[in-house]
Amino acid sequence: MKLTLKVWRQSGPKEKGRLVAYVLDDVSPDQSFLEMLDDLNRVLVLKGEEPVVFEHDCREGICGCCGLMINGQAHGPVRGTTVCQLHMRNFKDGDTIVIEPWRAKGFPVIKDLMVDRSAFDRIIEAGGYVSVNTGGIPDANAIPIRKEDADLAMDAAACIGCGACVASCPNASAMLFVGAKISQYALLPQGQVERVARALNMVAAMDREGFGNCSNVAECEASCPKLITLSNIQRMYREHVKASWKYAPREAREAAG
Ligand code: FES
């Protein structure tokens, strides 16, 4: 396949960026999107030009590093798929592909396609730890957990923190991410000890980092490569309201009956 790539080039966080067009011949439909970018970089290096900076690690859809906007869609055109798992067979010979970094105040561009996602690390850090002695491997049935809860917790824990939810939301809201991280513990017995503090602290950290609010656009759910559902945002709201109520002044609780 012959493709025209319009790639966002930006030499630093404070520099002005622009889309630069590159033509790439001989792209195999069996290549992954990142392998195609590797090829682009090989061509650029051989020509003595600076390669395109992009983030990646596992290339197996589990680390969350490889987020890119591809033709305006977070992680590209295939639902439930990270950029590293996206294959070039999803594009056609002669296509023009626009490749940009995540665009959100909370994710400033470091260089080219790479953004600083440390805001997510700080939100996770605010959530703290679970003060349950994990010890050795426990017996599978030592703590009975309802199948429904275990399934929901595992679905929430599938979030890889890539930031596609923020990048695709018109409000740059991080609520799908935070909702998933709060849910994965709130649903399990091991997460009960810090349940209240976790909800309060993670939501406060999310607000501090400058992420927007949810206005039910649902682009986050549509673009999530791990198919995290909006129900996690609803659970986050419930957890936060209950936690705030628990810490509300006694007068306020008494006044409300
Ligand atoms: S490189 Fe790890 S999820 Fe894509």
Side-chain angles (χ1 to χ4, degrees):
M1 289 195 294
K2 182 174 179 174
L3 298 172
T4 301
L5 307 174
K6 290 190 174 173
V7 183
W8 186 259
R9 303 300 312 255
Q10 184 173 338
S11 54
K14 300 238 182 311
E15 310 306 320
K16 222 168 159 224
R18 67 195 171 98
L19 287 170
V20 178
Y22 302 100
V23 176
L24 205 55
D25 295 311
D26 291 332
V27 176
S28 163
D30 297 327
Q31 280 184 306
S32 74
F33 201 88
L34 294 187
E35 286 166 343
M36 183 274 295
L37 287 179
D38 291 338
D39 278 353
L40 170 66
N41 277 346
R42 247 189 297 275
V43 171
L44 292 177
V45 169
L46 286 175
K47 284 203 290 189
E49 293 180 29
E50 219 183 313
V52 176
V53 174
F54 61 94
E55 206 182 348
H56 60 98
D57 189 5
C58 71
R59 298 200 176 201
E60 293 180 346
I62 52 175
C63 76
C65 282
C66 62
L68 298 172
M69 293 304 271
I70 299 171
N71 289 340
Q73 281 182 287
H75 287 293
V78 181
R79 180 147 163 73
T81 303
T82 53
V83 171
C84 59
Q85 299 278 281
L86 178 67
H87 284 88
M88 296 314 296
R89 65 182 77 102
N90 295 293
F91 300 89
K92 294 193 305 293
D93 184 37
D95 272 357
T96 296
I97 307 175
V98 180
I99 310 167
E100 296 169 272
W102 288 166
R103 299 203 185 274
K105 188 174 150 207
F107 293 156
V109 172
I110 296 172
K111 191 169 181 178
D112 295 337
L113 302 173
M114 186 187 215
V115 300
D116 179 357
R117 287 180 300 122
S118 59
F120 270 15
D121 297 337
R122 290 187 288 277
I123 294 172
I124 292 287
E125 197 181 334
Y129 50 87
V130 286
S131 57
V132 174
N133 185 5
T134 50
I137 301 168
D139 182 81
N141 294 318
I143 307 174
I145 300 170
R146 286 191 334 137
K147 170 90 169 71
E148 294 82 352
D149 290 342
D151 286 350
L152 288 170
M154 287 304 290
D155 289 348
C159 169
I160 53 175
C162 63
C165 48
V166 172
S168 57
C169 175
N171 309 322
S173 169
M175 285 190 177
L176 196 70
F177 164 73
V178 177
K181 296 302 169 195
I182 286 176
S183 293
Q184 72 186 36
Y185 293 117
L187 286 158
L188 297 176
Q190 294 90 336
Q192 299 310 305
V193 182
E194 287 87 11
R195 183 172 179 171
V196 168
R198 184 180 305 113
L200 291 173
N201 291 337
M202 290 186 87
V203 170
M206 173 180 77
D207 290 343
R208 268 200 308 277
E209 297 293 343
F211 294 108
N213 276 320
C214 174
S215 53
N216 291 321
V217 176
E219 273 296 321
C220 55
E221 186 181 83
S223 68
C224 176
K226 295 297 156 183
L227 307 176
I228 304 292
T229 60
L230 286 181
S231 60
N232 289 285
I233 297 183
Q234 292 154 3
R235 189 174 297 104
M236 181 201 77
Y237 275 127
R238 285 198 297 276
E239 291 295 314
H240 189 256
V241 165
K242 278 192 276 181
S244 306
W245 191 240
K246 197 162 174 143
Y247 279 102
R250 203 180 63 198
E251 303 76 39
R253 277 183 276 150
E254 285 171 358

